[in-house]
Amino acid sequence: MAKTRWYKDAIIYQIYPRSFCDSNGDGIGDIRGIISKLDYLKELGINCVWLSPCYKSPNDDNGYDISNYRDIMDEFGTLEDWQEMIDGMHARGIRLIMDLVVNHTSDEHEWFKQARSSKDNPYRDYYIWHKGKGKDGRKPPNNWTSRFTGSAWEYDEKTGEFYLHLFSKKQPDLNWDNPKVRQEVIDICNYWFEKGVDGFRCDVITYISKDKNFPDGKFNPAICGDEHFVIGPHYHEYIHELNEKSWSLYDSLTVGEAQGITIDNAFDAVDESREELDCVFTFEHQTQVDSFLTTVPKKFSLVKWKKIFSSWQSLPETCWNSLYIENHDYPRSLPRYGKLKYRVKVAKMLAISINFLRGTPYIYQGQEIGMTNFANLKRKDYKDIVSIKIYDTVKKFLPVFLPIVKWALNKKARDHARAPMQWNSEPNAGFTTGKPWMAVNPNYVDINVEQAMEDKNGIWHFYKQLNEFRKGNEIIRNGTYKQYYPKDRNVWMYEREYEGKKYVVIASYTDKEVQFVVPQELKGKESKLVMSNYADCVKTLSDVTLRPYEAMVYAL
Ligand code: NOJ
């Protein structure tokens, strides 16, 4: 099927179902809760939803451990609910992409239950097994680490071998070198396509092919072995096969979560001629700030940030970008890039800087109202397997470091972004009438959807306006990108140009006043302010003292 590449005009809203909206009072978000908010999403002006996993799962990693790919998690509802949800989305002009989590399954998936039952079970080779080292064969086969800490190998008593798990031990890695496994994945994709989904967000997709010699990785106590399985030996071949046998048969979007894909190898991963993924979520801009895989947060550098975005913007026209600064794996963006004293200004400034770039923008639930981190996240609030593992391991083996770990988790735990959506100022932020599965951020009294929708000058209306502005806008969709002042540590200035028309974007990333000077080549050109985060910004492109986090866009 010829692809329309509809995603180039999409604005995608990510729903983390567990925390979005609870319809039945059990404290857990669910599909009927999503259905009840479809008009809300329509009004915000998004036209596609990425739904984090909603399949059957024992929830070791909140649904990223799937025990049945063809059915819905009990807490979330039924396949009938799901069908009603997608029909409701489509009726409102909203597409749906689902999470495809196929680097690993749950250990409670029937395939794994079979696989671990005996060495000659037909499903044994669906997973990656290896003999252990040492006299008794009880030492892991190599030094690879799980991205969730500790060895990536788990000894299985019954059959006396280790299996590989790059995430938790309840998430065994599938063996993609087995053609039957690849066929299963193709069948799963086609099953959901036939039910009407419009594409997939492909979880840790760059991990699927491993070096089967299993060499030790370069020493790194936190993440070891990457060089042997990130974009491994058959990665491109397997993705191409999936594209050929499934993704290309539907007018779909496939966006890969792509550790290891940098500007240097992006072309091979996403150029249209490759017939692999349509685009990726690069980690480059996120990891230069911090990453959930490394414990201590890093200092933000605007110069590096601009360099990364600018290089991705300069990819050939046949490559497409994904624009995101938030998702369920990072703390909220606002405290990372600005001072909370200026919450609304920072949120709008970030929205401007990112949404005028070339690519498909993503809004993570709550970003549209400027949700923030917890002020003080405590052990009892951790629900994420990663926070719990890090904290408990350090407490057990290196308790002197506990204060540092608490401090680091308070800044960067994934729990921050997974807190229930703040709908109104009623108890539990209107998320549930029961006891929420995790703590609600107490600031919901001031930051919530109801309040945000009433404030015409607030963040919510700003996103709505931006979403409207982007629709059908050829300069934003197709224009070239040029950066000004790349070395400036406070201001990001860039220009988008299409058929002689331009937008010039100026965004200050500091709470200090800074002087902005119009570049020589733009001086004296006719210009008009089209968007800004202060009501009284100068109406034409001029030399100006920028106020804290001031951002504006001029049409030239
Ligand atoms: C990436 C997902 O975004 C994250 O939430 C999950 O823990 C890992 N993949 C493992 O599936």
Side-chain angles (χ1 to χ4, degrees):
M1 156 180 291
K3 286 178 85 118
T4 61
R5 303 201 185 273
W6 54 264
Y7 52 82
K8 294 193 175 182
D9 295 303
I11 296 159
I12 304 186
Y13 188 92
Q14 183 193 347
I15 293 182
Y16 194 70
R18 208 171 182 78
S19 298
F20 189 62
C21 181
D22 174 22
S23 73
N24 61 359
D26 67 355
I28 297 173
D30 50 42
I31 290 181
R32 300 218 70 83
I34 299 174
I35 295 174
S36 72
K37 299 295 180 188
L38 293 182
D39 286 333
Y40 167 77
L41 296 176
K42 171 90 185 147
E43 203 175 334
L44 180 59
I46 60 96
N47 54 14
C48 181
V49 163
W50 151 24
L51 184 61
S52 280
C54 61
Y55 315 94
K56 281 229 185 313
S57 163
N59 281 306
D60 191 50
D61 185 19
N62 284 354
Y64 282 91
D65 48 319
I66 298 172
S67 54
N68 181 349
Y69 288 91
R70 290 180 167 77
D71 206 349
I72 302 298
M73 191 187 296
D74 294 334
E75 292 99 316
F76 291 173
T78 63
L79 264 175
E80 287 69 40
D81 295 330
W82 181 90
Q83 193 64 52
E84 192 179 323
M85 176 191 73
I86 189 173
D87 291 346
M89 288 178 178
H90 286 166
R92 290 168 177 80
I94 298 173
R95 289 185 159 91
L96 173 67
I97 64 170
M98 298 269 277
D99 226 299
L100 182 69
V101 189
V102 285
N103 171 70
H104 45 267
T105 68
S106 161
D107 66 340
E108 296 183 32
H109 194 292
E110 190 52 36
W111 301 336
F112 192 72
K113 287 189 196 161
Q114 294 280 337
R116 78 188 325 178
S117 68
S118 76
K119 280 190 187 166
D120 53 11
N121 186 283
Y123 285 95
R124 182 77 174 174
D125 199 32
Y126 268 43
Y127 295 88
I128 300 171
W129 298 92
H130 206 287
K131 278 209 277 302
K133 282 187 181 164
K135 268 203 207 104
D136 56 0
R138 292 246 178 184
K139 287 208 182 90
N142 66 21
N143 67 358
W144 296 0
T145 50
S146 147
R147 264 79 281 266
F148 288 174
T149 73
S151 172
W153 296 95
E154 181 70 13
Y155 186 71
D156 195 55
E157 289 290 343
K158 178 141 195 231
T159 55
E161 283 187 339
F162 283 84
Y163 64 86
L164 182 72
H165 60 90
L166 292 176
F167 294 88
S168 95
K169 65 179 183 199
K170 284 186 68 62
Q171 293 168 296
D173 279 50
L174 282 165
N175 174 19
W176 277 64
D177 296 325
N178 179 349
K180 287 192 191 143
V181 167
R182 303 202 298 278
Q183 189 59 48
E184 297 274 12
V185 175
I186 291 164
D187 293 346
I188 290 166
C189 290
N190 292 346
Y191 168 84
W192 289 104
F193 276 132
E194 289 303 317
K195 287 194 173 294
V197 306
D198 300 284
F200 293 100
R201 174 266 188 188
C202 308
D203 187 69
V204 288
I205 197 71
T206 47
Y207 286 19
I208 57 172
S209 168
K210 282 92 179 169
D211 180 342
K212 290 291 186 61
N213 296 314
F214 301 110
D216 273 342
K218 274 193 279 199
F219 176 73
N220 179 340
I223 43 168
C224 189
D226 280 37
E227 66 277 29
H228 304 302
F229 54 75
V230 177
I231 320 178
H234 300 285
Y235 166 78
H236 289 288
E237 181 189 325
Y238 295 160
I239 296 296
H240 185 76
E241 182 185 351
L242 253 175
N243 181 304
E244 188 192 338
K245 298 189 177 157
S246 172
W247 302 343
S248 64
L249 309 180
Y250 301 86
D251 188 14
S252 62
L253 159 66
T254 49
V255 48
E257 190 203 16
Q259 285 91 345
I261 292 188
T262 65
I263 188 60
D264 299 326
N265 54 11
F267 182 90
D268 285 351
V270 300
D271 189 70
E272 287 173 13
S273 65
R274 305 275 308 173
E275 298 176 333
E276 295 188 13
L277 291 160
D278 294 315
C279 41
V280 293
F281 291 121
T282 175
F283 278 66
E284 285 200 284
H285 63 291
Q286 294 291 87
T287 45
Q288 78 91 11
V289 193
D290 62 14
S291 141
F292 84 86
L293 300 176
T294 55
T295 315
V296 183
K298 296 183 196 162
K299 195 168 179 312
F300 175 63
S301 152
L302 181 66
V303 173
K304 284 194 203 154
W305 169 268
K306 294 193 293 187
K307 190 169 172 218
I308 293 163
F309 274 105
S310 301
S311 58
W312 282 80
Q313 288 293 299
S314 309
L315 281 169
E317 262 179 41
T318 44
C319 298
W320 191 249
N321 278 299
S322 312
L323 309 169
Y324 78 100
I325 50 171
E326 288 200 10
N327 64 31
H328 64 291
D329 286 334
Y330 291 98
R332 291 288 178 179
S333 61
L334 297 182
R336 278 188 292 163
Y337 308 118
K339 298 234 159 82
L340 279 183
K341 182 176 158 202
Y342 298 101
R343 190 179 66 88
V344 175
K345 294 274 185 275
V346 177
K348 292 181 180 179
M349 180 280 285
L350 287 168
I352 286 188
S353 347
I354 301 300
N355 280 264
F356 275 80
L357 294 172
R358 179 171 188 272
T360 303
Y362 288 75
I363 300 171
Y364 176 63
Q365 65 185 42
Q367 189 178 342
E368 76 276 26
I369 55 166
M371 277 175 63
T372 65
N373 292 343
F374 288 94
N376 191 5
L377 198 64
K378 303 227 171 64
R379 171 64 182 85
K380 69 172 172 36
D381 302 319
Y382 303 158
K383 294 286 179 223
D384 175 21
I385 179 173
V386 181
S387 314
I388 293 172
K389 272 195 131 194
I390 292 176
Y391 183 94
D392 290 355
T393 309
V394 171
K395 188 169 176 208
K396 189 161 168 204
F397 297 109
L398 290 164
V400 285
F401 289 114
L402 214 49
I404 300 178
V405 166
K406 272 191 201 158
W407 167 81
L409 285 172
N410 196 38
K411 281 206 169 326
K412 53 176 306 195
R414 305 197 292 182
D415 302 275
H416 288 296
R418 299 175 177 191
M421 181 72 182
Q422 295 166 200
W423 293 105
N424 54 41
S425 56
E426 283 161 31
N428 300 320
F431 161 73
T432 179
T433 52
K435 185 175 178 310
W437 74 279
M438 77 169 282
V440 175
N441 192 321
N443 70 12
Y444 76 86
V445 190
D446 302 312
I447 302 174
N448 62 64
V449 169
E450 199 173 280
Q451 173 274 343
M453 288 177 80
E454 273 162 22
D455 179 4
K456 291 277 178 280
N457 296 316
I459 302 168
W460 193 88
H461 282 276
F462 197 77
Y463 265 104
K464 183 176 164 67
Q465 196 190 338
L466 257 174
N467 294 344
E468 285 308 314
F469 195 92
R470 273 190 76 101
K471 280 188 191 148
N473 190 309
E474 292 197 305
I475 310 177
I476 299 181
R477 187 190 201 267
N478 302 327
T480 55
Y481 171 92
K482 174 173 167 182
Q483 192 195 173
Y484 290 90
Y485 304 131
K487 298 264 149 42
D488 192 305
R489 280 184 287 168
N490 298 314
V491 178
W492 187 5
M493 174 183 183
Y494 64 82
E495 161 190 301
R496 305 289 318 279
E497 175 171 8
Y498 184 68
E499 296 187 338
K501 290 196 181 132
K502 281 182 190 178
Y503 291 133
V504 169
V505 176
I506 300 154
S508 167
Y509 273 67
T510 173
D511 60 334
K512 311 271 172 331
E513 291 195 339
V514 282
Q515 193 57 37
F516 168 76
V517 178
V518 179
Q520 202 54 37
E521 59 194 283
L522 298 177
K523 278 215 157 85
K525 297 237 158 86
E526 203 177 303
S527 62
K528 192 176 132 224
L529 183 71
V530 290
M531 201 162 280
S532 63
N533 63 349
Y534 280 76
D536 54 350
C537 286
V538 40
K539 295 285 176 283
T540 57
L541 183 62
S542 322
D543 294 354
V544 66
T545 302
L546 293 171
R547 289 164 285 184
Y549 305 104
E550 186 161 1
M552 46 260 220
V553 183
Y554 294 96
L556 264 73

